[in-house]
């Protein structure tokens, strides 16, 4: 029982770190990994989803519906931002850094001014369970399952639907896609919106477990960029294995030496990976298959 | 970018200058007071109230005729929870705005960032925040509570009530490290045992592994010295995992009003030593709260540091008036050296200690109940900030401008 308990604890911690990395990164994997837009406002899309989730939940809407509402609103904001700002900058990737950073500052300070410095949360649902003398939160298991579900749905979406194929075609060779009659402006806007909606979904999922403040998005940013950089351009072949590898590093180091070493470990891992595999894990896998 | 930013600031400065010039001026020159507090960023929730408390005190003082007949003029900058902003704005208020005194700082990192600049330009600053103690600097007055006031009361009480095994989680910077050292020493002195200690980098919001480490160590209570809104996520996550251990803290509730922000009962059984929170049930506290809410009806919470800022402004008024209207730092320090600069304010009677230029406090033990209401199982009256003086810091004799810790005390002789 003792060994079983230790194994379960390790698996739970790995799953928890994996879920946080996958959910932090999935929206950014679409926007940065696929589209090449260095989106420093990623955290603010997460914050947007979290705030909308908490506000709709407080109106009496059940939490799962509220989380979807958070994702939808963040997605809509994403489409708007793409139409107004990002579409002018596709050929100027470095300028997107400044533009999205500005959007991030405006969103954080705007939220602070309009909604105040903090907002009461909604509380974590489902309670807890005990296993081998330690107690765990059920909601964390929900987060792990959500992370796996998001990866599976994204995979099916980009490989099995017409829109997914068009999106990949548009991002690979925009001129050819356009010549074949694809409305590339629409595809770009929708793909960016999808990335923002995924960020909003993450915010909604984590909203019950966190303190609601305008700066909450920044706590996701480091993990998100590290995962996407390690993963490379492909959402499924990159994000999933990158998150798995990094989750092992983070969970192991955190359980042995504490949070600080967990964070150091993540950053050292990313340095090693970009030195050895400059195109990330997905670049490595794709070259192997080719 | 940089140039435009500066131009914008200059323009803003010009506009506010014009506005001030247009305001009806009192006969005498104003006393200028710089205010550097975090009105945005990670610490904003705890510190916007400090600015409001200063504005409340200034409003009252100006309506009653100012300080020694001179009105107070505030020069307020938002330091954005960013240490480099503190350095930039501290230079600005001392060099360009030429303020008489500065009220500045929330985190200990920010205080240590600006303190050398106050020393360099020989300015005078009030730090109105509880902290890890030990600053022996003639250019500083500290009105917040220190470890001998918050931990020497709290930790023995917790050990007597819940047991002797203690686990500390603390923010990983000078405040958390030095506070954890205090906790460690006090636990040892009282025959207890530290079963674990973990330092959490600022900005971390995920605590699954930390929660498991705590459960594995089986402490009798957990000392939480977490700082900033990101780290506050710990309470929700610990409650969701049903950790169920009593908690003790010097910073929570009294600063970040976590009991108002989180869903009950996630903070149940949290014990905090604080010199003021809005639930303190005395006539003076209620009067202060009513005045505060009248001026700032939307204020989410009136915390310990708001009260300290209000007290600091009134102490400064008293010092200047007793120095016959002089705002010169050495004249004011002569008044502090008399040893009876006291104020009967929202948290009861407080006095400045001449040796350390820190303040005595009435310390309330606040307990968060299951429904997140507050009760006060114990009150310690008039706890002096004795540690620095006992350790050998005496600002009436010399000014080392150092920060000391229990493992790095002043050199004797």
């Amino acid at each position: 029982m003792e060994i079983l308990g230790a194994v379960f604890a390790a698996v739970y911690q790995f799953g928890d770190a994996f879920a946080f990395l996958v959910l932090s990164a999935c929206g950014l994997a679409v926007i940065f990994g696929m589209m090449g837009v260095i989106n420093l406002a990623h955290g603010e899309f997460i914050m947007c989803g979290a705030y909308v989730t908490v506000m709709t939940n407080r109106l009496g809407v059940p939490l799962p519906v509220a989380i979807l509402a958070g994702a939808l609103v963040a997605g809509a904001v994403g489409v708007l931002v793409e139409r107004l700002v990002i579409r002018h900058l596709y050929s100027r990737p470095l300028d997107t850094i400044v533009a999205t950073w500005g959007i991030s500052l405006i969103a954080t300070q705007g939220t602070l001014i309009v909604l105040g410095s903090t907002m009461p949360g909604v509380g974590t649902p489902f309670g807890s369970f005990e296993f081998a003398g330690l107690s765990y939160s059920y909601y964390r298991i929900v987060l792990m399952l959500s992370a796996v579900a998001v990866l599976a749905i994204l995979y099916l979406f980009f490989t099995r639907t017409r829109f997914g194929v068009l999106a990949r075609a548009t991002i690979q060779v925009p001129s050819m896609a356009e010549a074949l009659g694809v409305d590339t402006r629409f595809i770009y806007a929708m793909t960016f919106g999808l990335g923002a909606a995924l960020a909003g979904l993450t915010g909604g999922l984590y909203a019950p477990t966190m303190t609601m403040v305008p700066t909450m998005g920044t706590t996701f940013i480091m993990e998100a960029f590290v995962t996407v950089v390690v993963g490379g351009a492909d959402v499924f072949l990159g994000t999933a294995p990158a998150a798995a590898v990094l989750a092992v590093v983070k969970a192991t180091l955190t359980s042995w030496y504490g949070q600080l070493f967990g964070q150091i470990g993540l950053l050292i891992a990313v340095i090693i990976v970009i030195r050895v595999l400059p195109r990330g894990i997905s670049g490595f896998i794709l070259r192997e298959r080719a | 970018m940089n140039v435009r930013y500066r131009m914008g600031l200059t323009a803003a400065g010009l506009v506010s200058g014009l506005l001030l010039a247009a305001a009806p001026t009192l006969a005498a020159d104003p006393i200028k007071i710089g205010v550097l507090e975090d009105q945005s960023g990670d610490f904003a929730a705890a510190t916007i109230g400090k600015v409001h408390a200063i504005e409340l005190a200034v409003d009252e003082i100006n309506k009653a005729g100012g300080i020694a007949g001179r009105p107070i003029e505030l020069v307020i900058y938002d330091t954005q929870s960013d240490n480099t902003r503190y350095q930039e704005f501290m230079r600005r208020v001392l060099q360009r705005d030429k303020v008489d005194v500065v009220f500045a700082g929330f985190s200990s990192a920010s205080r240590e960032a600006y303190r050398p600049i106050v020393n360099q330009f020989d300015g005078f600053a009030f730090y109105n925040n509880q902290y890890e103690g030990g600053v022996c600097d003639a250019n500083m007055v500290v009105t917040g509570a220190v470890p001998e006031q918050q931990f020497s009361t709290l930790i023995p009480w917790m050990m007597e009530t819940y047991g002797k095994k203690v686990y500390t989680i603390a923010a990983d910077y000078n405040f958390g490290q030095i506070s954890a050292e205090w906790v460690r020493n006090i636990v040892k002195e009282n025959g207890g045992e530290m079963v674990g200690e973990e330092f959490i980098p600022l900005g971390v919001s995920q605590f699954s592994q930390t929660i498991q480490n705590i459960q594995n160590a089986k402490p009798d209570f957990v000392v939480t010295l977490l700082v900033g809104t990101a780290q506050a996520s710990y309470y929700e996550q610990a409650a969701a995992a049903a950790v169920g251990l009593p908690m003790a803290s010097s910073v929570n509730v009294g600063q970040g009003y976590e009991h108002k922000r989180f869903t009950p009962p996630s903070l149940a059984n949290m014990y905090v030593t604080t010199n003021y929170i809005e639930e303190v049930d005395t006539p003076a506290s209620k009067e202060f709260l009513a005045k505060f809410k009248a001026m700032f009806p939307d204020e989410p919470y009136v915390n310990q540091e708001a009260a300290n800022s209000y007290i600091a402004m009134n102490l400064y008024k008293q010092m200047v008036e007793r120095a016959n209207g002089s705002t010169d730092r050495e004249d004011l320090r002569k008044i502090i050296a008399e040893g009876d600069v006291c104020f009967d304010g929202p948290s009861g009677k407080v006095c400045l200690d001449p040796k350390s230029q820190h303040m005595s406090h009435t310390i309330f033990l606040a307990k968060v109940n299951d429904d997140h209401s507050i009760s006060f199982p114990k009150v310690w009256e008039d706890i002096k900030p004795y540690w620095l003086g006992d350790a050998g810091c005496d600002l009436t004799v010399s000014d080392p401008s150092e920060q000391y810790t229990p493992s790095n005390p002043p050199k004797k002789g």
Side-chain angles (χ1 to χ4, degrees), chain A:
Chain A
M1 196 62 185
E2 194 109 300
I3 295 168
L4 200 62
V7 169
F8 179 78
V11 170
Y12 176 91
Q13 294 304 337
F14 165 76
D16 190 65
F18 179 75
F20 187 71
L21 291 165
V22 165
L23 291 170
S24 296
C26 60
L28 195 69
V30 172
I31 291 176
F32 174 42
M34 275 181 67
M35 299 176 71
V37 175
I38 302 170
N39 179 22
L40 292 184
H42 180 62
E44 280 56 51
F45 286 119
I46 293 176
M47 184 264 289
C48 171
Y51 266 66
V52 172
T53 300
V54 169
M55 284 193 271
T56 36
N57 186 243
R58 292 194 156 264
L59 293 175
V61 179
L63 188 62
V65 183
I67 292 173
L68 285 182
L72 281 178
V73 172
V77 173
V79 171
L80 201 67
V81 167
E82 198 275 347
R83 287 285 81 193
L84 293 175
V85 182
I86 308 295
R87 73 187 167 104
H88 305 291
L89 302 171
Y90 283 122
S91 53
R92 297 148 63 188
L94 287 179
D95 296 352
T96 59
I97 299 180
V98 180
T100 53
W101 188 46
I103 292 167
S104 142
L105 291 178
I106 293 168
T108 313
Q109 193 65 21
T111 311
L112 177 73
I113 291 167
V114 177
L115 296 171
S117 54
T118 65
M119 195 162 81
V122 291
T124 313
F126 305 137
S128 63
F129 62 96
E130 221 168 277
F131 187 83
L134 298 178
S135 58
Y136 301 93
S137 164
Y138 272 121
Y139 191 73
R140 293 268 148 190
I141 309 277
V142 174
L143 290 176
M144 294 170 208
L145 297 177
S146 306
V148 175
V150 162
L151 283 174
I153 290 168
L154 272 181
Y155 180 76
L156 293 177
F157 179 78
F158 276 109
T159 53
R160 301 290 156 85
T161 68
R162 182 174 163 73
F163 180 85
V165 173
L166 290 181
R168 286 192 297 149
T170 302
I171 282 150
Q172 255 174 20
V173 195
S175 54
M176 181 58 87
E178 202 154 355
L180 293 172
V182 178
D183 183 354
T184 51
R185 291 192 312 167
F186 175 77
I187 297 280
Y188 270 120
M190 284 301 127
T191 312
F192 193 90
L194 172 71
L198 286 169
L201 178 73
T202 303
L205 284 167
Y206 276 93
T209 72
M210 287 179 68
T211 153
M212 301 295 296
V213 290
T215 51
M216 67 184 290
T218 53
T219 67
F220 293 86
I221 279 287
M222 198 268 272
E223 277 83 353
F225 271 94
V226 164
T227 311
V228 174
V229 168
V230 169
D234 193 292
V235 181
F236 350 95
L237 291 176
T239 308
V245 170
L246 293 171
V248 171
V249 172
K250 187 169 186 235
T252 314
L253 284 173
T254 308
S255 69
W256 282 347
Y257 301 110
Q259 293 257 16
L260 179 64
F261 285 87
Q263 297 215 320
I264 293 173
L266 275 190
L267 294 173
I268 291 179
V270 72
I271 291 169
I272 294 172
V273 169
I274 55 180
R275 178 67 190 82
V276 181
L277 307 170
R279 287 170 61 226
I281 292 177
S282 65
F284 175 72
I285 295 174
L286 290 172
R287 199 166 33 194
E288 284 284 293
R289 291 203 307 192

Side-chain angles (χ1 to χ4, degrees), chain B residues 48 90 132 148:
Chain B
I48 291 177
M90 186 55 84
E132 71 282 2
E148 62 267 34

Side-chain angles (χ1 to χ4, degrees), chain B residues 377-392:
Chain B
K378 192 163 169 66
V379 179
W380 291 272
E381 300 274 355
D382 191 29
I383 306 279
K384 304 248 178 331
Y386 54 80
W387 182 76
L388 269 173
D390 289 357

Side-chain angles (χ1 to χ4, degrees), chain B residues 147-373:
Chain B
E148 62 267 34
Q149 293 169 327
Q150 293 190 289
F151 290 132
S152 303
T153 48
L154 175 70
I155 303 297
W157 191 91
M158 290 297 290
M159 287 172 67
E160 223 163 84
T161 313
Y162 289 107
K164 292 185 179 299
K165 286 198 260 176
V166 184
Y167 197 109
T168 299
I169 48 174
D172 194 7
Y173 70 113
N174 53 354
F175 164 76
Q177 292 279 357
I178 298 172
S179 296
E181 183 186 341
W182 273 90
V183 171
R184 205 181 304 139
N185 290 349
I186 294 171
V187 166
K188 208 172 155 194
E189 278 163 24
N190 288 277
E193 182 196 352
M194 293 299 305
V195 292
E197 215 171 48
E198 185 172 344
F199 295 95
I200 318 278
L202 284 175
V204 162
S205 67
Q206 302 299 315
F207 289 93
S208 257
Q209 185 69 57
T210 306
I211 288 165
Q212 197 176 301
N213 295 349
I214 292 173
Q215 291 191 328
N216 276 325
K218 299 191 173 47
D220 294 315
F221 66 94
V222 183
V223 178
T224 59
L225 303 168
L226 301 174
V227 176
T229 42
Q231 294 195 347
S233 299
Y234 168 79
Y235 308 105
E236 185 65 49
Q237 291 169 20
V243 171
L245 290 166
M247 294 180 278
S249 178
S250 66
V251 281
N252 301 126
V253 177
Q255 288 191 154
Y257 51 98
E258 288 82 356
H259 60 304
K260 298 278 181 191
R261 283 162 41 205
F262 289 107
T263 321
S266 52
L267 253 84
N269 257 343
M270 157 77 83
Y271 292 84
V272 185
T273 37
T274 177
N275 62 288
Y276 181 82
I277 46 174
E278 68 172 40
E279 286 91 348
V280 166
D281 197 16
T282 61
S285 155
K286 285 192 167 155
E287 190 199 328
F288 175 64
L289 183 63
K291 285 192 292 192
F292 208 112
K293 293 278 178 182
M295 191 161 168
F296 300 100
D298 296 331
E299 196 71 33
Y301 192 73
V302 181
N303 65 7
Q304 155 181 248
E305 316 310 358
N308 288 337
S309 302
Y310 178 88
I311 292 166
M313 186 59 77
N314 283 286
L315 287 174
Y316 183 71
K317 171 182 191 286
Q318 184 191 135
M319 285 162 15
V320 173
E321 289 183 341
R322 282 170 59 178
N324 302 317
S326 167
T327 56
D328 182 76
R329 192 188 68 242
E330 287 313 309
D331 290 345
L332 299 180
R333 290 191 56 230
K334 275 178 202 143
I335 304 295
I336 297 177
E338 289 170 19
D340 61 345
V341 177
C342 297
F343 179 67
D344 213 348
S347 60
K349 189 180 176 190
V350 294
C351 296
L352 284 181
D353 164 45
K355 279 186 176 175
S356 61
Q357 296 184 180
H358 283 48
M359 199 164 82
S360 68
H361 281 292
T362 295
I363 297 292
F364 299 88
L365 179 68
K367 180 195 178 192
V368 182
N369 300 317
D370 286 348
D371 61 350
H372 282 196
S373 64

